[in-house]
Amino acid sequence: MEMNIRAYFLMGSLALCMACQSGNRNETAANDTMLQADRLPEDQEQKYCFLRTEGTQRQDSSYVQLVIRGETVSGIYNTIPHEKDARRGTVLGQRKDHVFDLVWTYSQEGMQDTMRVVFTLRDGKLMQKPLSVDSLTGRQVTRDTSGFSVTYEPVDCAAD
């Protein structure tokens, strides 16, 4: 009888260990979808590129290239709507808790301007808080209360 109790205890302990290890694998897989930059030394950088196409024939495109070194994020952000004025420029800002809070400095119709843009990485895709129009200024803004609803797909970074 004592042998059966020990066997049940041993099997239960083994099942509990396996369940814990299975949970760790799921957690590891979830963490692997986050930026590898979290595991990089401060002096190394990581580059990520993303593309979003939209429109009836997917003729409008937006391209984002992010270069991450420690908590600093820089890169390129271009929006190119079909037969409309494109915005092409650079982004610079900080990464905090997997959120990229950036200032986009861009040119449009020969004029330079800036705008705050906010991104995060989710399941290997870049997600952006949408731009809204401020009714007082008529300018586009990123609202902190907005969710991340604009999706960019990962692409290979072109050779620079």
Side-chain angles (χ1 to χ4, degrees):
M1 172 100 167
E2 186 174 317
M3 185 65 144
N4 284 343
I5 292 173
R6 285 185 185 171
Y8 287 125
F9 178 75
L10 181 60
M11 287 179 13
S13 297
L14 184 59
L16 183 59
C17 285
M18 290 178 69
C20 289
Q21 289 204 350
S22 173
N24 287 343
R25 274 194 300 269
N26 289 341
E27 183 178 321
T28 299
N31 287 340
D32 285 345
T33 64
M34 298 310 258
L35 289 174
Q36 294 174 359
D38 289 336
R39 296 183 292 270
L40 292 175
E42 279 292 313
D43 62 339
Q44 287 187 349
E45 67 181 32
Q46 190 70 20
K47 185 188 294 187
Y48 299 91
C49 297
F50 301 91
L51 180 67
R52 174 180 170 80
T53 57
E54 55 189 329
T56 55
Q57 297 178 343
R58 311 207 67 69
Q59 71 276 19
D60 301 330
S61 65
S62 296
Y63 173 77
V64 180
Q65 178 189 84
L66 298 177
V67 179
I68 302 162
R69 175 176 250 146
E71 298 300 314
T72 301
V73 180
S74 62
I76 299 168
Y77 182 25
N78 297 329
T79 61
I80 308 167
H82 182 69
E83 296 183 354
K84 294 181 184 170
D85 294 318
R87 289 179 176 172
R88 298 172 196 265
T90 59
V91 290
L92 180 62
Q94 298 293 311
R95 172 180 66 125
K96 184 176 179 185
D97 299 328
H98 302 291
V99 174
F100 311 113
D101 198 335
L102 311 173
V103 174
W104 180 25
T105 302
Y106 62 91
S107 293
Q108 181 179 13
E109 295 183 12
M111 302 291 289
Q112 188 165 319
D113 205 348
T114 61
M115 178 186 318
R116 178 176 173 246
V117 290
V118 181
F119 297 95
T120 192
L121 192 70
R122 191 176 294 154
D123 296 326
K125 297 178 182 183
L126 187 68
M127 304 296 294
Q128 180 183 7
K129 289 189 176 200
L131 300 175
S132 304
V133 176
D134 183 318
S135 59
L136 296 176
T137 64
R139 293 178 47 87
Q140 287 185 304
V141 296
T142 299
R143 300 193 191 284
D144 288 330
T145 55
S146 296
F148 291 98
S149 60
V150 180
T151 305
Y152 295 76
E153 297 293 330
V155 295
D156 288 334
C157 293
D160 294 334

